[in-house]
Amino acid sequence: MRLRALLDTDALGLRLLGGEDELDRTVRGVMTTDLRDPSRYLAGGELVLTGLAWRRDASDTEPFVRILASAGVAALAAGEAELGDVPADLVDACARHRLPLFAVNESVAFATITEHVVRQVSGERAGDLAAVVDRHRRLMTSGPAGGGPDVVLDLLGSDLDLRAWVLSPAGRAIAGSSAAGPALPAAVCTRLGGEHLAAVRTGRRGPHRVQLDGTTYSLFPIRSSGRGPAAASASAAAAASTAALRDVRETVLSDWFLAVEADAGDWPEERLDLLQGVTQLIAVERDRRDAARTVRRRLAQEVLELVQTGAAPAEIAARLRVAAPVLLPGLGAAPHWQVVVARVEWDGGDIEGGPVAQSLLEEILVDPLSAGPEPSDRIAVAHTGDEAIALVPLPAVSAEHDGSETGLLADSLLESVREPLSAGLDGDGRLTLGVSASVHSAEGLRGALEEARHARRVAAARPGRVCAAGHQELASHVLLLPFVPDDVRKAFTARLLDPLRDYDRRHRAELIPTLEAFLDCDGSWTRCAARLHLHVNTLRYRVGRIEQLTGRDLSRLEDKLDFFLALRMS
């Protein structure tokens, strides 16, 4: 039964003190306690009744509420018979832990509430128990070996008449039942991804109900098996709470979710349990696919280590020949390659962003030429620290077919995922991404990696939570100059320009303005003299003085370029 149903039953004498947004939680049982630490008796989903005898002063409140929240109880109901009004510190602690809090009128016995809850829960469980057991048995025998998540979703359609889809956090369709009809529009998938990420980041319990264009969807998180902290005892509750937050940020951008076209708000407990079982089965499939990616990840790591350590091109080429058949099965032709670098950074720097960025790249770097249920099987991604590096193969014939721009483009890469990922980053994280040009040989990979890294730094200099830049944007020195370290910039400009500035201060010779005008006129004596209203001989004298003071020759392109950059950086 739902908490809302309890509140609507006048005979129970319950008054809501906090947690209005959580009234759709399911109550699976009831427990009365005045122990300071009742954790050993809690299984999750209970309505906890307390007379507040455990509370000696306000300092006892936070540990008690934290224990209940960590155990996953549905709500707390505090009696008013002992202390009168429920203490404000209890109201505040429950609000912090998103635990619904009721006050029980002193005229109502806890036994009355207990009998009502037990009667309602038992009645709902008895109604469809045999069918639930049968469906669970069929689902368990139809797991990954029997066809993957599509088979499980087909059972939802045939047994419960539910249209359901498995989606990635970025809104990519992973699977759908044959009974679901046409595929969900991409725009709907993207919006559902954003709603799912926002709900998870704000700590709301699933399923999350969303209404889009008049249709209600219930979103069930799918967490990889074995993830998530479990507090061994109540004394570890505080540490578990911190670990839970850390785990959310480590996995929120990579965990799939189940979208069901239905309103789960009024579902009986058995149906909710069944859907939770479905998510567990799909989590097993997710883990299986992650394990299958191990080979590609290892290949990427090996190639990138060779590139970064300056290995001989022949050695890198040999490793690429091994990687190509794995990444481009059946194509045969030697591919071109692009490098994509992504970085996920959280405020405070206490979370390693590399694994998150790795999972993200495996989801969003989809080769448009590939087919089948797992297009990210064409991509190899490695990670170190906060950075993930993807080695993306492009069939050589595609990369050369007309000489036009080919391969991945930074802007289009993030276009469809910017909205949901921004919701997942939720104000305290950033995703920045850089894309290199395509290269056709091992010799070009090192340059492609540096190009992608520099493009990512360009993206990082822009505002916004999700930013990307491509190699096309590195064609101008204006984008390169901001990334020159300050000490290098100061030393470079001082060496070239300080002698001219000192001379100008002593003699008012205007050598710096003359140099700027001369370079701006592309070294044309007549145009520069006209702009400065000087005789050409006077201009030649000033340029000669510049060359004498700096030891440079303004007839040489290299020296012109050095002066040009020094003036831009000064």
Side-chain angles (χ1 to χ4, degrees):
M1 66 179 301
R2 302 288 176 180
L3 288 176
R4 192 181 303 279
L6 289 174
L7 192 62
D8 293 340
T9 305
D10 294 336
L12 300 182
L14 297 177
R15 189 172 77 257
L16 184 65
L17 300 181
E20 185 175 0
D21 294 336
E22 305 290 337
L23 289 180
D24 288 319
R25 290 188 182 184
T26 300
V27 180
R28 295 183 171 86
V30 62
M31 175 190 174
T32 301
T33 185
D34 276 311
L35 296 173
R36 290 198 188 96
D37 179 5
S39 59
R40 68 175 68 95
Y41 304 110
L42 297 172
E46 298 93 344
L47 171 67
V48 174
L49 305 174
T50 181
L52 300 177
W54 50 266
R55 182 184 181 278
R56 296 167 300 184
D57 54 47
S59 65
D60 293 329
T61 300
E62 173 66 19
F64 181 81
V65 173
R66 187 170 62 238
I67 289 169
L68 298 187
S70 299
V73 305
L76 174 66
E80 296 179 320
E82 180 76 16
L83 300 178
D85 292 338
V86 175
D89 53 88
L90 181 58
V91 176
D92 293 341
C94 288
R96 283 194 299 274
H97 290 275
R98 302 180 68 88
L99 181 66
L101 175 64
F102 299 95
V104 182
N105 190 281
E106 61 180 345
S107 64
V108 178
F110 282 176
T112 301
I113 299 174
T114 299
E115 290 172 4
H116 178 84
V117 172
V118 170
R119 187 168 55 251
Q120 293 296 320
V121 170
S122 298
E124 290 176 357
R125 285 178 177 169
D128 205 28
L129 183 58
V132 169
V133 171
D134 180 63
R135 289 190 186 103
H136 268 292
R137 185 181 300 112
R138 293 172 60 192
L139 286 172
M140 292 304 295
T141 58
S142 303
D150 297 286
V151 172
V152 178
L153 299 185
D154 283 342
L155 282 177
L156 288 180
S158 61
D159 282 26
L160 300 180
D161 195 26
L162 291 176
R163 287 159 46 87
W165 302 265
V166 177
L167 304 176
S168 77
R172 183 170 69 87
I174 306 294
S177 66
S178 57
L184 279 178
V188 173
C189 292
T190 298
R191 292 171 66 186
L192 290 177
E195 293 284 352
H196 160 73
L197 289 173
V200 173
R201 284 306 312 275
T202 53
R204 286 157 48 197
R205 289 189 179 184
H208 319 302
R209 290 179 294 157
V210 179
Q211 191 169 68
L212 299 180
D213 302 326
T215 301
T216 301
Y217 299 89
S218 296
L219 311 180
F220 294 79
I222 299 172
R223 296 182 175 87
S224 294
S225 61
R227 290 184 183 175
S233 64
S235 62
S241 177
T242 301
L245 176 61
R246 181 174 297 114
D247 277 0
V248 165
R249 290 195 288 173
E250 288 175 349
T251 64
V252 66
L253 297 179
S254 58
D255 281 340
W256 294 347
F257 66 99
L258 177 67
V260 181
E261 190 181 295
D263 187 344
D266 56 357
W267 282 4
E269 180 183 344
E270 287 76 16
R271 180 170 287 200
L272 287 173
D273 286 344
L274 177 63
L275 267 293
Q276 293 298 341
V278 169
T279 64
Q280 291 168 10
L281 288 173
I282 297 173
V284 173
E285 172 67 9
R286 173 63 191 270
D287 290 344
R288 184 190 67 80
R289 294 191 182 188
D290 279 348
R293 289 174 174 172
T294 302
V295 173
R296 296 193 302 280
R297 289 173 173 175
R298 186 181 300 119
L299 284 172
Q301 194 72 47
E302 291 174 354
V303 171
L304 291 169
E305 284 177 359
L306 290 175
V307 170
Q308 294 184 95
T309 56
E315 185 178 358
I316 300 173
R319 195 62 54 91
L320 285 176
R321 283 194 294 273
V322 173
V326 176
L327 300 176
L328 289 173
L331 291 184
H336 287 204
W337 303 91
Q338 273 185 289
V339 176
V340 180
V341 172
R343 192 177 184 92
V344 172
E345 298 169 288
W346 301 101
D347 293 353
D350 57 335
I351 302 296
E352 185 181 20
V356 181
Q358 181 181 48
S359 296
L360 275 179
L361 286 183
E362 288 173 336
E363 291 292 346
I364 66 178
L365 291 178
V366 177
D367 180 358
L369 299 178
S370 66
E374 193 56 62
S376 58
D377 282 350
R378 301 293 186 268
I379 297 151
V381 187
H383 78 83
T384 54
D386 289 332
E387 183 182 71
I389 304 168
L391 193 62
V392 184
L394 302 172
V397 63
S398 171
E400 296 175 331
H401 73 287
D402 62 1
S404 61
E405 194 62 54
T406 59
L408 301 171
L409 300 177
D411 288 338
S412 59
L413 197 60
L414 292 183
E415 183 177 352
S416 63
V417 299
R418 192 181 307 276
E419 178 183 344
L421 293 184
S422 296
L425 294 164
D426 191 37
D428 66 344
R430 286 200 79 199
L431 167 66
T432 52
L433 184 146
V435 183
S436 77
S438 62
V439 295
H440 67 278
S441 66
E443 290 87 346
L445 274 180
R446 184 176 180 83
L449 175 58
E450 292 307 313
E451 187 175 59
R453 280 177 167 160
H454 196 80
R456 191 207 63 78
R457 289 193 290 270
V458 170
R462 296 171 174 168
R465 290 288 170 182
V466 179
C467 298
H471 62 92
Q472 307 93 333
E473 300 174 71
L474 304 183
S476 170
H477 66 279
V478 176
L479 287 173
L480 300 178
L481 294 184
F483 301 100
V484 177
D486 286 341
D487 54 346
V488 175
R489 184 183 308 185
K490 290 176 181 177
F492 182 74
T493 57
R495 187 165 57 251
L496 280 177
L497 301 183
D498 280 1
L500 307 181
R501 290 171 178 150
D502 292 342
Y503 192 87
D504 280 347
R505 280 195 297 269
R506 294 196 307 268
H507 303 283
R508 298 183 180 179
E510 297 188 354
L511 296 185
I512 293 289
T514 300
L515 177 61
E516 291 174 334
F518 185 73
L519 295 174
D520 196 42
C521 292
D522 298 324
S524 169
W525 297 99
T526 55
R527 282 194 291 125
C528 183
R531 173 180 294 189
L532 296 175
H533 306 290
L534 298 175
H535 191 278
V536 171
N537 289 340
T538 303
L539 176 61
R540 291 186 183 277
Y541 171 79
R542 289 187 181 180
V543 169
R545 180 61 69 183
I546 291 171
E547 293 174 336
Q548 180 183 15
L549 291 170
T550 61
R552 299 300 185 102
D553 183 353
L554 278 169
S555 66
R556 298 178 68 247
L557 177 61
E558 294 86 346
D559 289 341
K560 286 181 182 177
L561 181 59
D562 283 348
F563 277 123
F564 180 81
L565 294 175
L567 289 168
R568 283 300 184 103
M569 289 190 291
S570 64

